[in-house]
Amino acid sequence: MSDVLQNCRPYTIKNLNTEIKSKLSENFSMIFQNIDGNRTNFDTFSVELDRITEKFRVIGLAETNVGTDESNVYCLAGYNCYYQDKHVNKSKGTGVAVYLDNSLNGVVNDEVSWVSRNLETLFVTIQSEEPVHIGVVYRPPSGNASEALEELRKLLESCPKKIVHI
């Protein structure tokens, strides 16, 4: 994990379109965004994605603040979307989503997708010769951190053992 954090750096749209363009098209590319509310920020996020010349295969979002009932309002051209229900009686700081490139066939893995006051998860299994498991895990700041860690431990024990991206 520390290698990931040490190598993590911000990219401008120009960087994405020049420096790592070939890596996006050659690899299984993913992007994650804490969107801080679909209602206020989804359109801007969509426009920013359109400025990137290569398409990400997977997009993960947290803090969508919408559930499955509103997911059809937030479409991205060329993607299928999967939303987790948001936390009951909570309107902000909740909700996770996964968008898969239309060329990928995905199904939600209900065994490791859930919402609690401490952790929100959504896992989608991409059907292929060797299935790929994609997950978004979000810890709402209003939850209990130590309980969230325990739930995360149980989640990791329950996750499929091969080709998992969180």
Side-chain angles (χ1 to χ4, degrees), residues 95-165:
V96 291
V98 171
Y99 286 77
L100 293 183
D101 182 287
N102 278 345
S103 67
L104 303 172
N105 182 19
V107 62
V108 173
N109 183 338
D110 291 321
E111 292 179 27
V112 286
S113 299
W114 72 73
V115 175
S116 76
R117 91 180 173 83
N118 303 306
L119 208 62
E120 299 183 21
T121 69
L122 176 61
F123 279 78
V124 176
T125 300
I126 299 170
Q127 305 295 318
S128 62
E129 193 172 304
E130 189 161 14
V132 176
H133 310 280
I134 304 296
V136 174
V137 177
Y138 173 69
R139 186 189 76 79
S142 60
N144 180 293
S146 59
E147 290 176 18
L149 283 173
E150 180 58 24
E151 288 181 33
L152 180 60
R153 183 189 64 74
K154 290 177 183 175
L155 168 78
L156 294 174
E157 288 174 358
S158 302
C159 275
K161 303 303 178 214
K162 294 174 81 177
I163 314 179
V164 178
H165 301 279

Side-chain angles (χ1 to χ4, degrees), residues 1-52:
M1 180 65 112
S2 64
D3 286 347
V4 170
L5 294 176
Q6 288 179 349
N7 294 320
C8 188
R9 72 178 193 91
Y11 289 96
T12 65
I13 298 295
K14 183 179 179 183
N15 293 137
L16 289 171
N17 287 335
T18 56
E19 292 176 31
I20 66 168
K21 178 181 179 180
S22 63
K23 292 178 184 167
L24 287 176
S25 62
E26 294 169 7
N27 295 300
F28 192 83
S29 58
M30 297 182 282
I31 187 170
F32 171 80
Q33 176 72 40
N34 181 324
I35 197 159
D36 192 26
N38 277 18
R39 289 180 191 96
T40 54
N41 297 314
F42 190 85
D43 290 341
T44 301
F45 179 69
S46 177
V47 167
E48 291 300 311
L49 281 177
D50 287 342
R51 293 180 56 208
I52 302 168

